[in-house]
Amino acid sequence: MEFTVRAAKPEDCKDVCRMIMELAIYEKMQDQVKISHKELEQDGFCANPFFQCLIAEVPELHKSKEGHTKVGYALYFYTYSTWKGRSVYMEDLYVMPEFRGKGIGKALMSKVAVVGKEQQCIRMNFSVLDWNTPSLDFYLAKGAQDLTASEGWHFLRFDGEALDKLAEEAPKN
Amino acid sequence: MEFTVRAAKPEDCKDVCRMIMELAIYEKMQDQVKISHKELEQDGFCANPFFQCLIAEVPELHKSKEGHTKVGYALYFYTYSTWKGRSVYMEDLYVMPEFRGKGIGKALMSKVAVVGKEQQCIRMNFSVLDWNTPSLDFYLAKGAQDLTASEGWHFLRFDGEALDKLAEEAPKN
């Protein structure tokens, strides 16, 4: 199927927001989504954007049952390894179910790799849920390493009251 | 013990580089460190820096056996959650062994939380090795959640040839 991959524009944020929710439903975590397209517009298209995004688009002719032509996205940002330097982190990779198996996910992911390499990134990192074996298998088959399995890295977080308390206890100097 | 926590300056990069290596030795991964202080200077102090860093410093009077007054650091950058928005990621938190147990690590971590909250981040994320129980216990006692344990998130990576191959296969459009 014919499709194109291009950088997202502010006017794509409504579709990105729709697909973020579709991905969260697939991950069984839709109750955690609190983002709006306005917030995405503000955070992704400011002077120092917090993220960048690629959109996969099909021609009108191949639009989805509901009439969508924007059928996938990859959202990423730059991170840093104190061992190896510049890295790119792919936060989300999503393709609508009826458009899977056509190379769109692979194309999005490859484009993130290209953009990362253009910025001299030596790594592309991302996270996957352990029960999501179709995705895990897809990534491992493409040569990804599972650092949690091989080295024992665990992902930790402070949020809500724990984050507030931590900030309150900071030295005042 | 008296100490201060302040934003790193370019001239701190030699000490940060020294402590990055000390931390990697503790993590038994020193062979993976390929960073130089020049690279840190370039990537952390450019127009759109790839990271930010805090330094913990003690007065001359309390310098280390080897004569160091810069005795700890926290290195962080901004990331993005498509469910919740702006986040801060603490890549490294380190205090030299002879200065531990004095609240320096806690102060560095709290300052990252403060800076993150000033930027409207709602989360502070980081990674810990599963065998590093002193650190895991320290973070969990402060209210951190282990998302790998509770939700099953695995950390994956493309690098080297796998990343090159991925980039080569990107669509040309």
Side-chain angles (χ1 to χ4, degrees):
Chain A
M1 181 186 285
E2 196 189 332
F3 65 90
T4 53
V5 171
R6 59 165 176 82
K9 301 173 208 161
E11 54 268 34
D12 294 314
C13 288
K14 277 190 183 169
D15 278 282
V16 174
C17 206
R18 164 182 61 81
M19 291 189 281
I20 285 171
M21 182 53 87
E22 291 175 19
L23 174 57
I25 289 169
Y26 173 71
E27 288 177 326
K28 303 170 189 167
M29 294 195 181
Q30 63 269 33
D31 56 313
Q32 295 206 26
V33 181
K34 307 285 176 212
I35 209 93
S36 67
H37 71 273
K38 286 277 171 210
E39 209 171 335
L40 292 174
E41 270 179 47
Q42 181 186 315
D43 291 340
F45 299 90
C46 51
N48 285 308
F50 282 78
F51 66 85
Q52 300 191 46
C53 189
L54 295 171
I55 297 281
E57 204 164 19
V58 295
E60 269 291 313
L61 179 67
H62 297 300
K63 66 186 176 192
S64 76
K65 284 178 220 143
E66 302 82 11
H68 300 299
T69 54
K70 297 167 191 174
V71 301
Y73 75 102
L75 189 143
Y76 62 95
F77 40 75
Y78 298 104
T79 63
Y80 204 75
S81 159
T82 49
W83 298 349
K84 303 280 173 80
R86 302 179 186 185
S87 308
V88 59
Y89 190 92
M90 184 174 67
E91 175 73 12
D92 280 0
L93 174 65
Y94 177 74
V95 177
M96 291 174 69
E98 63 186 281
F99 294 92
R100 289 181 195 162
K102 304 174 195 304
I104 299 178
K106 174 71 192 314
L108 283 164
M109 185 166 77
S110 290
K111 277 278 189 182
V112 175
V114 168
V115 175
K117 283 174 69 81
E118 283 169 359
Q119 291 292 321
Q120 287 138 47
C121 295
I122 42 66
R123 289 172 166 177
M124 175 170 152
N125 298 321
F126 53 104
S127 299
V128 181
L129 286 159
D130 57 2
W131 55 258
N132 186 0
T133 45
S135 295
L136 265 176
D137 291 347
F138 171 76
Y139 295 125
L140 296 176
K142 301 263 172 288
Q145 305 164 61
D146 180 340
L147 279 296
T148 299
S150 62
E151 297 181 353
W153 289 104
H154 276 224
F155 188 65
L156 274 78
R157 171 175 301 156
F158 285 104
D159 62 5
E161 284 178 23
L163 183 64
D164 292 343
K165 189 161 179 292
L166 201 60
E168 279 160 21
E169 291 170 0
K172 304 299 171 214
N173 66 41
Chain B
M1 181 187 284
E2 197 188 330
F3 65 90
T4 52
V5 171
R6 59 165 177 80
K9 300 172 208 163
E11 55 267 35
D12 295 314
C13 287
K14 278 191 184 170
D15 278 281
V16 174
C17 205
R18 165 182 59 81
M19 292 189 281
I20 285 170
M21 183 51 87
E22 291 175 21
L23 174 56
I25 289 169
Y26 173 72
E27 288 177 328
K28 302 171 190 167
M29 295 196 180
Q30 63 268 33
D31 56 313
Q32 295 207 22
V33 182
K34 307 285 176 212
I35 208 95
S36 68
H37 71 272
K38 284 280 170 205
E39 207 172 336
L40 292 173
E41 270 179 48
Q42 181 187 314
D43 291 340
F45 299 90
C46 51
N48 285 308
F50 282 78
F51 65 84
Q52 300 192 48
C53 189
L54 295 171
I55 297 282
E57 202 164 19
V58 295
E60 270 292 312
L61 178 68
H62 297 299
K63 66 186 176 193
S64 77
K65 286 179 217 140
E66 301 81 14
H68 299 300
T69 54
K70 297 165 190 175
V71 302
Y73 75 102
L75 189 144
Y76 61 94
F77 41 75
Y78 298 104
T79 62
Y80 204 75
S81 159
T82 48
W83 298 350
K84 303 282 173 78
R86 301 179 187 187
S87 309
V88 59
Y89 189 92
M90 184 172 67
E91 175 73 11
D92 280 0
L93 174 64
Y94 177 74
V95 177
M96 290 173 69
E98 62 185 284
F99 295 92
R100 288 180 195 162
K102 303 173 194 310
I104 299 178
K106 174 72 192 309
L108 283 165
M109 186 166 76
S110 290
K111 277 278 190 180
V112 176
V114 168
V115 175
K117 283 174 68 80
E118 284 170 358
Q119 290 292 323
Q120 288 139 45
C121 295
I122 41 65
R123 290 171 165 179
M124 174 170 152
N125 299 321
F126 52 105
S127 298
V128 182
L129 286 159
D130 57 3
W131 55 259
N132 187 359
T133 45
S135 295
L136 265 175
D137 291 347
F138 170 77
Y139 294 124
L140 296 175
K142 302 262 173 290
Q145 306 163 61
D146 181 340
L147 278 296
T148 299
S150 64
E151 296 182 354
W153 289 103
H154 276 224
F155 187 67
L156 274 78
R157 170 176 302 155
F158 286 104
D159 63 5
E161 284 178 23
L163 183 64
D164 291 343
K165 188 160 179 295
L166 202 60
E168 280 159 21
E169 291 169 1
K172 305 300 172 212
N173 67 38

